[in-house]
Amino acid sequence: MPSIVSLNPCADAILHEVAAPGQLLSISHYSHDPRSSSMMPGDAPGYPSNGGTAEEVIALGPDVVVADIFMPPATRSALENAGIRVELLGIAGTLEESHAQIRQLAAVTGEAQRGEQLVARIDTAWNSAAFSGSPVNTLLWQAGGIVPGEQSLASAMLEHTGFASHAASRGLGQGAYLPLEEVLSDPPSLVLAAGNERMLSHPVLRQLDNVRYDTFDSALLYCGGPSIPRALARLAEIRDSSL
C-alpha cells in the first residue's frame, strides 16, 4: 500500500474517499481553507497540510505525490530524484473525465473498488438530478465576474439539471468576464452568484423585474469527484424553487 502526499485540492477530496486509512499522509493547504476546499467541512482537519514545497514533501517520505499538471518542473524533478513517484491530475471538464480521475487515483492507492463505489455514487446522483422540462435561462456568475464555458463540468451540471446558460447564449466562453452593466441591460431569468464580492451581490440584482437571484457555493465548482453530488443537489433545489 503506497503512502501518498497530495498537493492538489481536487485530489485531496478524491483521495479522502478512496485511500485506505493511514495511506494519505498530507493534503494541500488549500483544503484547510473552507473558501478553496472541495472536501466536506470537518474532513480536511483530519489530515496534516503541506505548502507544496519539495523539501517538506521529501521530509514526509511518501511513495507517491499527486499534483496538478501545472506543477513546476523543478519541483517534479526534485521529487523524482528523491525516488518519489509523481502522479499528475488534470482538470475535469466532463462527468466522464471526473470518473477517469477517480479511477486514476484509485489505481494509485490500490483501492479500485473504493473508486468504483465513488463513481457509482456520483452516477446515482447524476441520474436522480436529471430534468427534462423547460430550462431556466441562468447566469452562473463566478468570482471575478467570470462565467463558465460550454465545455466545462459546471455548464454540464447546469444543463443536466434544467438550466440554460445565459452566458453561452451571449457567445461567452470559459472564463469570460461579464460586467454588472451588461447583466442589467440583458438580464437572465435567474442569477446564480457563486462568489462573495460586491458586484455579484449588488443590491440592484434583487430589484430587477422577473429576475430571480440566488447564491451558489463556489467551492462546489472547483473540482469534480465527490463535490458533484452536492452540486447537483443544490442545483436541483434551486431549480425546484424556480418553477
Side-chain angles (χ1 to χ4, degrees):
M1 184 179 72
S3 57
I4 301 169
V5 167
S6 173
L7 314 184
N8 181 315
C10 294
D12 294 345
I14 296 173
L15 288 167
H16 170 70
E17 299 276 349
V18 303
Q23 190 173 17
L24 183 55
L25 304 181
S26 177
I27 61 176
S28 72
H29 65 93
Y30 299 106
S31 290
H32 275 232
D33 183 347
R35 296 170 298 179
S36 58
S37 178
S38 292
M39 300 178 73
M40 286 288 289
D43 287 342
Y47 301 94
S49 66
N50 67 77
T53 66
E55 292 79 7
E56 62 181 318
V57 172
I58 291 171
L60 292 169
D63 298 306
V64 182
V65 165
V66 179
D68 62 49
I69 57 176
F70 306 106
M71 183 183 209
T75 303
R76 180 175 184 176
S77 294
L79 296 175
E80 291 178 336
N81 289 338
I84 299 171
R85 173 185 165 192
V86 176
E87 189 80 17
L88 300 181
L89 204 69
I91 298 172
T94 65
L95 180 67
E96 292 73 21
E97 288 175 1
S98 177
H99 286 356
Q101 285 189 342
I102 292 169
R103 292 181 171 120
Q104 175 188 353
L105 293 184
V108 170
T109 64
E111 298 286 348
Q113 183 176 0
R114 288 176 185 249
E116 292 307 316
Q117 289 170 347
L118 177 55
V119 166
R121 195 171 88 228
I122 293 170
D123 281 342
T124 296
W126 186 268
N127 294 333
S128 297
F131 185 76
S132 58
S134 298
V136 179
N137 181 25
T138 301
L139 170 63
L140 179 58
W141 213 13
Q142 298 174 260
I146 66 171
V147 298
E150 289 186 81
Q151 305 304 315
S152 67
L153 182 56
S155 289
M157 290 192 292
L158 280 172
E159 180 179 356
H160 184 72
T161 52
F163 302 92
S165 172
H166 181 71
S169 70
R170 293 174 57 93
L172 299 175
Q174 176 67 31
Y177 174 71
L178 185 61
L180 176 63
E181 294 78 9
E182 292 190 22
V183 176
L184 299 180
S185 65
D186 180 22
S189 299
L190 170 65
V191 173
L192 275 187
N196 298 318
E197 54 207 76
R198 177 165 174 75
M199 183 173 72
L200 274 61
S201 58
H202 197 288
V204 72
L205 293 166
R206 295 175 175 83
Q207 299 167 9
L208 294 171
D209 293 335
N210 301 315
V211 176
R212 184 174 166 221
Y213 177 89
D214 214 325
T215 59
F216 193 85
D217 184 358
S218 59
L220 297 177
L221 300 173
Y222 297 146
C223 305
S227 62
I228 292 177
R230 306 200 312 272
L232 293 171
R234 174 61 178 146
L235 287 170
E237 176 186 40
I238 294 168
R239 178 200 67 212
D240 291 345
S241 62
S242 298
L243 298 177

